[in-house]
Amino acid sequence: MAEPAPPAPAAPPPPAAAALSGSVQVRHVDAGSCNGCEVEIGSAFGPVYDAERYGARLVASPRHADALLVTGPVTRNMAEPLRRTFEAVPQPRVVVAVGDCARNCGVFAGAYGVAGAVRDVVPVDLEVAGCPPRPEAVVEALRTLTGR
């Protein structure tokens, strides 16, 4: 038996998310993280938090995605692959920066191998704070996109 869903997020969805019709296909991109955020994303899509029940689903190809879930500070080696992945996602597309490193480089700010935060490389529509963010915060961001 599943617990009842928490209240719907109060934050309005990003403008691009309005066209997603309550369902979002998500491609995760690790731009240089320590894997702390990936563990929490895995929990968000696992059986306890079950992000799929709110209309969010992980996909393997950016060509099948509506949204990018980007973690970590963008390293110099990942800046171009992130741009290419962003361009491969069809319009309308949404980018979610997950974790403090994706938002502002976190503890890696100023490091020689870091190109910058996600918003320095691609436009960001939604941010999830935390180091790492709790699975509930990841699910809440996905619910903001789906409106469910």
Side-chain angles (χ1 to χ4, degrees), residues 22-147:
S23 175
V24 62
Q25 312 305 307
V26 179
R27 172 70 173 126
H28 171 247
V29 177
D30 179 348
S33 78
C34 68
N35 284 340
C37 293
E38 282 71 20
V39 171
E40 302 304 323
I41 289 170
S43 294
F45 281 93
V48 174
Y49 297 99
D50 193 16
E52 285 196 31
R53 71 178 160 160
Y54 303 114
R57 187 171 68 111
L58 288 172
V59 294
S61 171
R63 300 204 184 276
H64 299 156
D66 303 310
L68 291 179
L69 214 58
V70 186
T71 57
V74 182
T75 62
R76 290 187 295 161
N77 290 338
M78 280 301 294
E80 187 59 28
L82 177 58
R83 281 188 206 96
R84 289 181 183 180
T85 303
F86 174 78
E87 291 300 324
V89 177
Q91 294 280 2
R93 60 182 165 231
V94 178
V95 176
V96 181
V98 178
D100 291 344
C101 292
R103 294 173 59 232
N104 58 23
C105 297
V107 298
F108 301 104
Y112 71 93
V114 173
V118 175
R119 72 173 156 272
D120 298 332
V121 179
V122 296
V124 171
D125 300 291
L126 191 60
E127 294 182 343
V128 181
C131 181
R134 297 193 42 82
E136 297 94 337
V138 175
V139 171
E140 183 176 347
L142 294 169
R143 291 183 69 194
T144 300
L145 296 182
T146 64

